[in-house]
Structure formats: structure tokens, C-alpha cells
Amino acid sequence: MLIRTATAEDWPAIWAFLRRIVAAGETYTYPRDLDEDRAREIWMLEPPSRTVVATDPDGTVLGSAKMNPNHMGPGAHIAGASFMVAPEHGGRGVGRALGEHVLDWARAEGYKAMQFNAVVESNTRAVALWRSLGFEVIGTVPKAFAHPANGYVGLHIMHRFL
């Protein structure tokens, strides 16, 4: 698996799975009817932030991550990130590889910690992955996410020092 900076040419592949994941309404706080232009604006970040893709040897985009300061000004030393793996490529270590890559990037960029602001508590695979990479749940906003099947569930705030 190769992880590299995302290009404009990668967008159609990213949009194909981002659209499905967002429309399902199970893991992201984005509007379920998010349009492509707004999605591209949210996901394809400009430096000093970064968006990457994970590809297999034939160039198929398996997943993507975006990384950026979590806050501005005096809080800009804390990194944030978001991840999406194409559902058909789940369970192959793509999320873990992207997570490790993002942590390495944040360390190299001088961030002191990384924080995820809204990990849906019913997304147990993501919660387990982030815990395995050293993140802790430092708080949960109760009933903050309207899950289409589970009703109102919490949003975890997850953090780790770098």
C-alpha cells in the first residue's frame, strides 16, 4: 500500500466512497445530502494542511485522510484529522496505515497532540482502532449524533499526545 498526497485526479475516486459514507449517515457529522463541490472543499485541503490517499499497487484508491490544525491561534499546536476507507476495502489495514501516517506527519510538523472532535461512539471499529493507536476518550457529548439505526448516540472526543 502506498500513501501519497492526494491530487485533483484522485477526487473522483475519493468522492465515490465519500458520497456513500456520508449519505449512510452513520459515521460523519456532515449533512447526508452533502454536494460534491462542498465535499471537495471540506476534504481536499491546501498546505500547510494535507490530504492523502492510500492506494494499492495498481493505483486503486482504497481510502483517504485529511490532516490539519484542530484549532487556530494559540490552539494550533493540536492536530486534527479525518479518515475514510472505501467500504469495499475495509478490514485490510487501510485505516491503520492512514492513522499511522497521519500521526507521523503530525509529529514531523511539530504538533504536540492530536484530537478527534467527533468519533461516533457506535462506530466501534474506529474507536477500537484509535484506542490501539494510543488515543483515549477524554469526553463524550451525550446523544449528540442522530444515527439512522441506533437513534441518538454520543460523540467521543479522542486525544493523544505525540
Side-chain angles (χ1 to χ4, degrees), residues 43-45 50 58 67 76 80 84 92 94 104-105 114 124 135:
W43 201 261
M44 299 296 284
L45 302 180
R50 187 167 182 230
D58 73 2
M67 54 215 85
M84 286 197 192
R92 296 175 49 190
V94 177
D104 290 343
W105 171 85
M114 183 168 283
T124 56
F135 287 83

Side-chain angles (χ1 to χ4, degrees), residues 41-157:
E41 181 182 311
I42 290 169
W43 201 261
M44 299 296 284
L45 302 180
E46 297 292 327
S49 299
R50 187 167 182 230
T51 301
V52 297
V53 290
T55 64
D56 68 9
D58 73 2
T60 300
V61 175
L62 309 172
S64 182
K66 65 177 186 137
M67 54 215 85
N68 49 273
N70 195 292
H71 301 286
M72 297 184 289
H77 61 285
I78 307 300
S82 297
F83 305 83
M84 286 197 192
V85 175
E88 61 274 18
H89 298 295
R92 296 175 49 190
V94 177
R96 176 172 299 280
L98 286 167
E100 291 170 349
H101 180 87
V102 166
L103 288 167
D104 290 343
W105 171 85
R107 279 187 209 96
E109 291 294 310
Y111 288 96
K112 304 300 181 203
M114 183 168 283
Q115 177 180 316
F116 302 147
N117 300 326
V119 181
V120 178
E121 72 180 340
S122 60
N123 187 357
T124 56
R125 287 180 65 189
V127 172
L129 172 60
W130 304 138
R131 284 184 188 276
S132 78
L133 290 175
F135 287 83
E136 296 179 37
V137 174
I138 60 169
T140 302
V141 182
K143 298 186 178 188
F145 186 83
H147 192 282
N150 299 335
Y152 290 101
V153 299
L155 285 175
H156 290 321
I157 301 165

Side-chain angles (χ1 to χ4, degrees), residues 10-70:
D10 295 315
W11 177 250
I14 296 168
W15 174 238
F17 59 81
L18 188 149
R19 177 181 60 224
R20 287 183 286 146
I21 291 167
V22 170
E26 298 176 346
T27 56
Y28 271 84
T29 60
Y30 300 149
R32 292 177 74 177
D33 61 352
L34 184 67
D35 69 63
E36 183 175 4
D37 289 339
R38 182 68 177 123
R40 185 184 303 110
E41 181 182 311
I42 290 169
W43 201 261
M44 299 296 284
L45 302 180
E46 297 292 327
S49 299
R50 187 167 182 230
T51 301
V52 297
V53 290
T55 64
D56 68 9
D58 73 2
T60 300
V61 175
L62 309 172
S64 182
K66 65 177 186 137
M67 54 215 85
N68 49 273
N70 195 292

